[in-house]
Amino acid sequence: MLVPDKKFIIGNWKGNPSHLSGALELARALGENSSKTTEVVICPPHVFLHPVQNAFAVSVSLGAQDIPTEKFSAEQLASLGVRYVILGHSSRRALGETDVQVNEKIRICLDNNLVPIICIGENTRDTEGNYLKELEAHIRASFAGYTKSDLEHMIIAYEPVWAIGEQATREASPEEFESSMIFIKKVLNDMTGNSPVGKLTIIYGGSVSTDEQLASYLTVGACGVLIGRASLDATVFNALCSRMKTL
Ligand code: PGA
């Protein structure tokens, strides 16, 4: 089970940097260790997992950006020191990854003691609330068959697609995050029976780069953040990690 009340700051380097030297430089520039209360997780591209793991200047956790479904992949990732795996990120969904595949990969992670970080979020947000149907469909398909206790071993990242990356129109407001988080819990409750789901680790991702944003999401109940672009600037990322420890 994930340590209750731990906060997560997860750097998702996506397809960056373009050269190994840049990845090593970034790994060496990390300045904040994970602590008892705050877990710092770095998710470099697959090809850089091993070299980066050996270059970290501080004690942080390693995450992969996906897991192949071949039989030995999970063991191989674990042997590199990988502990977390991002699943269903919008960049993978754009390449055709489905909720059914995400569902299958969650099982592979859980069976191999890897913590899945499952990204879910609507493509667009309308004012009539139709986006909730899209979100609900993702939740129902991605988590079908999982129990309340399985859910305690996962991190769920609410990442509305419209708030992520260069194309983002803006970040989701803390209130938007909060209402989506409540909705996610409600649907999961409904899927897993009458008693309320226990402790769920739900984090926010999408255009986070400032201390104020960090604090605002945590204030409304986020257990952490998934950071893309801002994790590629060591100074900015270190400052966010250090701030996270005070929240
Ligand atoms: P961003 O990306 O922080 O650059 O918006 C978040 C993500 O892709 O997980």
Side-chain angles (χ1 to χ4, degrees):
M1 192 170 80
L2 291 171
V3 177
D5 300 325
K6 201 160 204 185
K7 293 166 293 179
F8 292 87
I9 180 156
I10 304 171
N12 180 12
W13 291 1
K14 300 191 242 188
N16 305 290
S18 48
H19 292 282
L20 176 61
S21 56
L24 294 177
E25 202 179 307
L26 206 45
R28 290 188 191 116
L30 290 171
E32 292 290 333
N33 291 297
S34 289
S35 71
K36 263 201 179 130
T37 54
T38 302
E39 181 98 339
V40 180
V41 183
I42 299 295
C43 304
H46 261 65
V47 286
F48 294 152
L49 279 168
H50 185 53
V52 155
Q53 162 79 330
N54 291 319
F56 285 144
V58 283
S59 166
V60 296
S61 294
L62 191 62
Q65 294 183 27
D66 185 32
I67 192 163
T69 49
E70 284 82 8
K71 195 158 175 240
F72 299 110
S73 303
E75 262 177 71
Q76 289 164 344
L77 281 182
S79 76
L80 290 179
V82 169
R83 166 121 177 81
Y84 297 87
V85 181
I86 297 176
L87 297 178
H89 188 268
S90 60
S91 55
R92 294 210 57 81
R93 292 182 188 274
L95 297 173
E97 179 141 283
T98 64
D99 290 322
V100 172
Q101 287 168 316
V102 169
N103 183 295
E104 214 178 293
K105 290 177 177 184
I106 293 176
R107 177 56 61 208
I108 297 174
C109 288
L110 295 184
D111 286 350
N112 289 279
N113 271 327
L114 295 165
V115 178
I117 303 164
I118 304 112
C119 300
I120 47 171
E122 71 279 3
N123 280 305
T124 49
R125 183 174 274 244
D126 59 322
T127 45
E128 287 80 44
N130 288 322
Y131 71 91
L132 290 174
K133 292 197 187 98
E134 190 187 346
L135 193 54
E136 179 166 358
H138 272 313
I139 302 167
R140 290 200 178 271
S142 304
F143 299 101
Y146 291 100
T147 63
K148 285 187 166 58
S149 96
D150 289 332
L151 292 169
E152 290 178 6
H153 299 272
M154 308 177 191
I155 296 173
I156 300 174
Y158 172 62
E159 287 218 325
V161 178
W162 51 266
I164 300 174
E166 301 286 351
Q167 313 305 320
T169 42
R170 60 177 174 87
E171 75 273 29
S173 68
E175 295 73 28
E176 287 169 330
F177 166 75
E178 186 181 24
S179 61
S180 297
M181 177 180 68
I182 292 168
F183 183 74
I184 293 167
K185 286 185 183 170
K186 195 166 143 276
V187 176
L188 288 173
N189 248 328
D190 185 54
M191 288 172 69
T192 55
N194 292 328
S195 58
V197 276
K199 173 79 187 138
L200 285 180
T201 303
I202 302 183
I203 65 174
Y204 170 73
S207 299
V208 177
S209 63
T210 67
D211 284 11
E212 294 72 31
Q213 287 172 310
L214 260 197
S216 67
Y217 295 116
L218 266 76
T219 302
V220 296
C223 298
V225 284
L226 183 52
I227 300 181
R229 285 158 294 165
S231 69
L232 298 171
D233 181 326
T235 311
V236 173
F237 189 71
N238 288 340
L240 290 170
C241 291
S242 142
R243 174 74 173 114
M244 185 73 133
K245 289 179 177 171
T246 68
L247 295 170

